[in-house]
Amino acid sequence: MRRSLKNNHCGVTLTLFIPVYFFILSCINGNFLITCHMFSMRFLLNLFFFNFLITNQMNGMISRSLMGVFCSACFSVMNAQDRPNIVVFIVDDMGLMDTSVPFVTDHHGNAVKQPLNEWYRTPNMERLAKQGIRFSTFYAQSVSSPSRASIMTGQNAARHRTTNWIQPENNNRTPYGPLDWNWKGLTRNNLIYPYVLEQAGYKTIHVGKAHFGCIGSEGADPKNLGFDINIAGSAIGSPGSYYGENGYGAIKGAKSRAVPGLEQYFHTNTFLSDALTLEADKEIEKAVAEKRPFYLNMAHYAVHSPFETDKRFIGHYTDPKKNQQACAFATLIEGMDKSLGDLMDKLEELGIAENTLIIFLGDNGGDAPLGGAADYGSSAPFKGKKGSEYEGGVRVPFIVAWAHPDAENKFQKAFPVAQNAIQTQMGTVMDIYPTVLSVAGVKVPENHILDGSTLERMIAGKKDKAHRDDFLMHFPHEHRGSYFTSYRKGDWKLIYYYNPEHPDAPYYKLFNLSEDPYEKNDVAKAERKKAKELFGLMVKRLEMEKALYPIDKDKNELRPFFIAK
């Protein structure tokens, strides 16, 4: 597949041969000025210099031959540069409610502020939301590695089989987890979309948390997967420390989780989120100097534990009802938000903001230290948090905006983004892959299976009747929520529990999210027909994605079966 992609790229260059050939002839015959308007000045200057050099040292036949090769290469690069820049800004463990931007809506689609929106301070998320569109109902997997693999591949966790977070050193299958789950994570055969972009001429940059694979796997280094640049990404899923004084864990803290590649900030007061932002800025500057479009995977370690206080912001969080850890978590949120603002300012400074699309999201439900896994604390008014089967475990913030809206910009005309808008139609992390490629004008690789589809119409503020209205979340492991599959179809949501310790007694819950968005009333007994309908759709989807299932104590696979309540 990789070879065929490269051949296709070469094929595009070859199709340009005829017009380039006539351009060369015109240059050689002295008609340089006539054709000058057809090409960029950079291209013309390079071409003129090369032609001068060759014609003064070689015979005409060699000159024309080499010139053809040179021009084809230059034209291909110039063509690749004629694409927008793309930033995917991923915040670790940031839930839907961990922001001052309200994502909860009423039945008319209007934003409704909640108490947690008053607690957090995210002015740059507010700035981004005003410039673009935010989704009220956007789903991720319930923990990190499955979501990150789904973002990179466009496939659901049941299909790529990284169904649990990846413990770097040891296989964390958990007692009844599937024996063959994908602990090693992504490989170069997964055709992640940054690789596809790289093949189309993009400079692909990863900064921050990767967590794509375990130690020693291909996915442990993003450069093995399709990134040109990797800064601070490895197999670890959390930082040893957020403090530069601690070497981000290398000097003090959890040394096995030391963030790599940031030695220049050791013994300084540079907070981790700032160090990553400074490194991202450098790589953007290099891409601009190289005149290459870039894709930036800006993947913060924040706001994952340890909940270390960013002292610059602690004065904003003085509510005596909140514990110290909750206050520290809030400073991590605000520090992340500062990074977003700094990045947007850098794009403006470089004069490329209008050519740069930003996609902002969390990777799973929130983990704020404000209550238990199955109550109404960290994600209130939603139930649950990271690792749980409830909406608070899988709903994440999602905002799309051009870094500088400009109605006359050619990229923005081609990919319009509604401004200061809210989209209530459902989207998922599997939709990011086709959406990013759509923005870049790059085709999805042939035979690459997608479980998502482009959000192009929805980002423009329209409804897309062709877009899927269901979401399967398959988690055959032990966590805050254990050995379950949840399936949402339209307004209805079924949660099926495999119950491996008592495999003959699986059970399920059913919620009508239109009437009960906060999952307070299990209606499985009253709505047996609807429960059976969703169960059938869930099983069909699991089979389509070739899911692996939990096992019992005798290692028998536990496939779902329906028992009427």
Side-chain angles (χ1 to χ4, degrees), residues 82-146:
D82 195 25
R83 300 180 191 273
N85 308 308
I86 303 166
V87 176
V88 173
F89 194 103
I90 307 172
V91 188
D92 197 24
D93 287 358
M94 184 182 186
L96 190 70
M97 305 309 301
D98 302 336
T99 172
S100 56
V101 177
F103 284 86
V104 176
T105 59
D106 60 22
H107 285 291
H108 301 290
N110 300 313
V112 180
K113 273 212 164 190
Q114 304 295 322
L116 284 175
N117 298 136
E118 303 290 349
W119 168 242
Y120 295 108
R121 292 168 55 99
T122 55
N124 292 296
M125 283 185 67
E126 293 177 28
R127 169 185 170 188
L128 191 71
K130 287 178 182 176
Q131 292 181 193
I133 188 167
R134 62 192 188 267
F135 281 51
S136 66
T137 311
F138 197 86
Y139 285 103
Q141 313 295 341
S142 65
V143 289
S144 174
S145 299

Side-chain angles (χ1 to χ4, degrees), residues 292-406:
R292 291 179 66 187
F294 65 84
Y295 168 77
L296 170 62
N297 204 59
M298 187 67 195
H300 275 289
Y301 283 93
V303 293
H304 198 290
S305 61
F307 302 140
E308 294 179 328
T309 301
D310 189 332
K311 297 174 184 177
R312 297 171 296 177
F313 308 114
I314 192 60
H316 298 154
Y317 306 99
T318 57
D319 185 346
K321 296 179 181 178
K322 299 289 196 303
N323 61 46
Q324 184 275 330
Q325 287 281 277
C327 294
F329 181 87
T331 68
L332 292 178
I333 290 284
E334 189 164 354
M336 171 281 303
D337 184 77
K338 176 184 180 297
S339 167
L340 175 64
D342 290 348
L343 183 63
M344 293 173 71
D345 291 344
K346 173 58 72 171
L347 296 172
E348 289 281 6
E349 175 191 321
L350 295 173
I352 58 171
E354 67 275 9
N355 297 333
T356 306
L357 185 78
I358 299 177
I359 299 174
F360 178 103
L361 75 155
D363 70 339
N364 47 243
D367 197 29
L370 292 170
D375 62 15
Y376 298 90
S378 66
S379 303
F382 294 102
K383 186 176 184 178
K385 63 192 306 183
K386 170 188 175 179
S388 79
E389 62 271 42
Y390 300 106
E391 293 293 280
V394 290
R395 293 268 283 271
V396 298
F398 185 78
I399 306 172
V400 181
W402 289 99
H404 184 111
D406 178 1

Side-chain angles (χ1 to χ4, degrees), residues 161 178 498 503 547-552 554-560:
R161 296 182 173 179
Y498 294 85
L548 298 176
Y549 299 95
I551 59 174
D552 64 15
D554 298 318
K555 297 185 179 181
N556 297 308
E557 186 178 58
L558 300 179
R559 288 181 171 267

Side-chain angles (χ1 to χ4, degrees), residues 68-287:
V69 174
F70 178 80
C71 288
S72 294
C74 286
F75 199 98
S76 179
V77 170
M78 181 185 69
N79 198 45
Q81 290 176 356
D82 195 25
R83 300 180 191 273
N85 308 308
I86 303 166
V87 176
V88 173
F89 194 103
I90 307 172
V91 188
D92 197 24
D93 287 358
M94 184 182 186
L96 190 70
M97 305 309 301
D98 302 336
T99 172
S100 56
V101 177
F103 284 86
V104 176
T105 59
D106 60 22
H107 285 291
H108 301 290
N110 300 313
V112 180
K113 273 212 164 190
Q114 304 295 322
L116 284 175
N117 298 136
E118 303 290 349
W119 168 242
Y120 295 108
R121 292 168 55 99
T122 55
N124 292 296
M125 283 185 67
E126 293 177 28
R127 169 185 170 188
L128 191 71
K130 287 178 182 176
Q131 292 181 193
I133 188 167
R134 62 192 188 267
F135 281 51
S136 66
T137 311
F138 197 86
Y139 285 103
Q141 313 295 341
S142 65
V143 289
S144 174
S145 299
S147 272
R148 290 164 189 266
S150 289
I151 291 168
M152 288 290 109
T153 63
Q155 297 175 348
N156 208 353
R159 190 183 301 280
H160 61 64
R161 296 182 173 179
T162 297
T163 41
N164 197 6
W165 66 278
I166 293 172
Q167 211 280 352
E169 297 88 357
N170 301 296
N171 187 332
N172 53 318
R173 177 178 66 86
T174 69
Y176 302 106
L179 297 173
D180 296 326
W181 81 285
N182 186 12
W183 172 56
K184 291 188 176 181
L186 296 176
T187 73
R188 57 175 56 93
N189 293 323
N190 284 115
L191 286 180
I192 65 172
Y193 70 79
Y195 169 76
V196 182
L197 291 175
E198 188 265 341
Q199 292 293 290
Y202 273 79
K203 182 171 187 175
T204 53
I205 307 161
H206 174 86
V207 176
K209 173 175 172 175
H211 210 196
F212 298 139
C214 61
I215 291 173
S217 69
E218 287 183 90
D221 183 353
K223 289 171 70 175
N224 292 332
L225 304 177
F227 285 97
D228 295 316
I229 303 295
N230 170 39
I231 295 170
S234 68
I236 65 172
S238 60
S241 173
Y242 282 97
Y243 298 139
E245 300 94 322
N246 294 344
Y248 312 115
I251 299 169
K252 183 180 179 181
K255 293 191 176 182
S256 65
R257 298 295 179 265
V259 179
L262 299 176
E263 288 79 8
Q264 63 181 301
Y265 302 102
F266 286 10
H267 303 289
T268 73
N269 62 357
T270 310
F271 208 78
L272 177 56
S273 300
D274 286 346
L276 296 176
T277 308
L278 291 169
E279 291 301 300
D281 288 349
K282 292 176 186 177
E283 293 303 325
I284 292 173
E285 289 174 349
K286 290 177 186 177

Side-chain angles (χ1 to χ4, degrees), residues 21 24 28 54-55 58-68:
Y21 174 74
I24 298 163
I28 293 170
I54 296 296
T55 53
M58 301 181 181
N59 62 48
M61 182 67 71
I62 296 176
S63 173
R64 295 187 188 197
S65 176
L66 289 177
M67 185 72 73

